[in-house]
Amino acid sequence: DGGITQSPKYLFRKEGQNVTLSCEQNLNHDAMYWYRQDPGQGLRLIYYSQIVNDFQKGDIAEGYSVSREKKESFPLTVTSAQKNPTAFYLCASSIVSSGYYGYTFGSGTRLTVV
Amino acid sequence: QQQVKQSPQSLIVQKGGISIINCAYENTAFDYFPWYQQFPGKGPALLIAIRPDVSEKKEGRFTISFNKSAKQFSLHIMDSQPGDSATYFCAASESDYKLSFGAGTTVTVRA
């Protein structure tokens, strides 16, 4: 079955530590996105990429980094510069074509600072 | 600053009743307005979407109403069922594939 796989489902980070969240898709989608979800704030865009080896900052990119070396993969690193990283992180992908913007989301990674 | 404002934050409806969620936007360049449904611990899933050239779209018990002049759109869930209990997000995009999401509405359907 085609879809998006996020791992791990739960992740615990110590103060000052960098952690990387994995996102893999087998939908052959061109674009991939990372969103952060906090209670009462909806989904906020962290980074997005429309083609391999290219990505753009979203609304809340500070303290995060990404790479897009393969079409299927878009890992997100939460760096120690992100002061409040506890949140639910969602990866999504979509076709890049005129008139179709439907997103497919993964099941998310819940990150907690301990 | 949220580009799409969603209300209410939460609502409770009796089984068989109608749930109504409203969204408003300012950016007139938005040309795609989807609604997503999210269950606890899961990622959102596309429910229904509309473009500004139509005023209403219906899929089963779910209907989007769109008012271009007022820059508002809403989701109506008819004959609400306990399985509809979830968080609903409206969103909007302006042809650059980035979706801007509302804050979400938690719907609880009481049996």
Side-chain angles (χ1 to χ4, degrees):
Chain A
D1 287 337
I4 296 183
T5 301
Q6 289 188 242
S7 63
K9 190 172 179 66
Y10 299 96
L11 186 57
F12 298 91
R13 192 193 93 166
K14 296 180 180 179
E15 295 284 351
Q17 189 178 44
N18 291 356
V19 292
T20 297
L21 284 60
S22 171
C23 178
E24 303 277 335
Q25 55 102 356
N26 60 5
L27 299 165
N28 199 34
H29 284 176
D30 299 299
M32 298 187 74
Y33 313 82
W34 275 105
Y35 283 86
R36 170 178 170 146
Q37 184 174 15
D38 297 281
Q41 296 196 49
L43 283 68
R44 292 181 292 168
L45 183 63
I46 304 173
Y47 269 98
Y48 66 104
S49 167
Q50 296 184 357
I51 57 172
V52 175
N53 293 323
D54 187 43
F55 48 83
Q56 285 76 42
K57 293 182 179 180
D59 301 319
I60 56 166
E62 185 175 351
Y64 301 95
S65 66
V66 294
S67 63
R68 186 87 187 277
E69 297 176 2
K70 298 186 300 180
K71 186 176 183 178
E72 303 78 20
S73 179
F74 193 41
L76 174 74
T77 297
V78 184
T79 74
S80 57
Q82 171 51 241
K83 298 307 178 187
N84 184 23
T86 295
F88 189 51
Y89 291 86
L90 287 160
C91 179
S93 70
S94 71
I95 297 171
V96 175
S97 66
S98 177
Y100 182 77
Y101 309 143
Y103 279 23
T104 300
F105 279 91
S107 294
T109 293
R110 187 166 298 280
L111 174 63
T112 304
V113 175
V114 296
Chain B
Q1 183 180 357
Q2 216 148 30
Q3 295 196 60
V4 181
K5 298 190 187 305
Q6 183 173 347
S7 63
Q9 186 174 5
S10 63
L11 66 90
I12 299 173
V13 63
Q14 291 296 121
K15 180 181 176 182
I18 302 173
S19 303
I20 302 175
I21 306 169
N22 300 300
C23 287
Y25 64 96
E26 288 298 326
N27 186 349
T28 55
F30 284 150
D31 64 352
Y32 176 69
F33 302 88
W35 285 87
Y36 283 80
Q37 179 189 55
Q38 183 182 32
F39 294 105
K42 302 294 184 183
L46 179 65
L47 189 62
I48 186 173
I50 198 168
R51 297 196 183 279
D53 53 344
V54 297
S55 60
E56 185 174 283
K57 183 174 181 179
K58 183 176 181 179
E59 289 186 3
R61 296 183 293 106
F62 299 91
T63 299
I64 299 179
S65 297
F66 186 82
N67 186 329
K68 188 174 181 178
S69 60
K71 292 183 285 187
Q72 296 176 348
F73 58 111
S74 61
L75 176 70
H76 295 229
I77 307 174
M78 313 300 286
D79 186 25
S80 297
Q81 300 297 312
D84 296 333
S85 296
T87 299
Y88 294 82
F89 293 95
C90 61
S93 175
E94 58 169 298
S95 305
D96 61 356
Y97 313 106
K98 294 183 300 177
L99 283 173
S100 296
F101 286 85
T105 297
T106 300
V107 173
T108 302
V109 181
R110 297 218 188 278

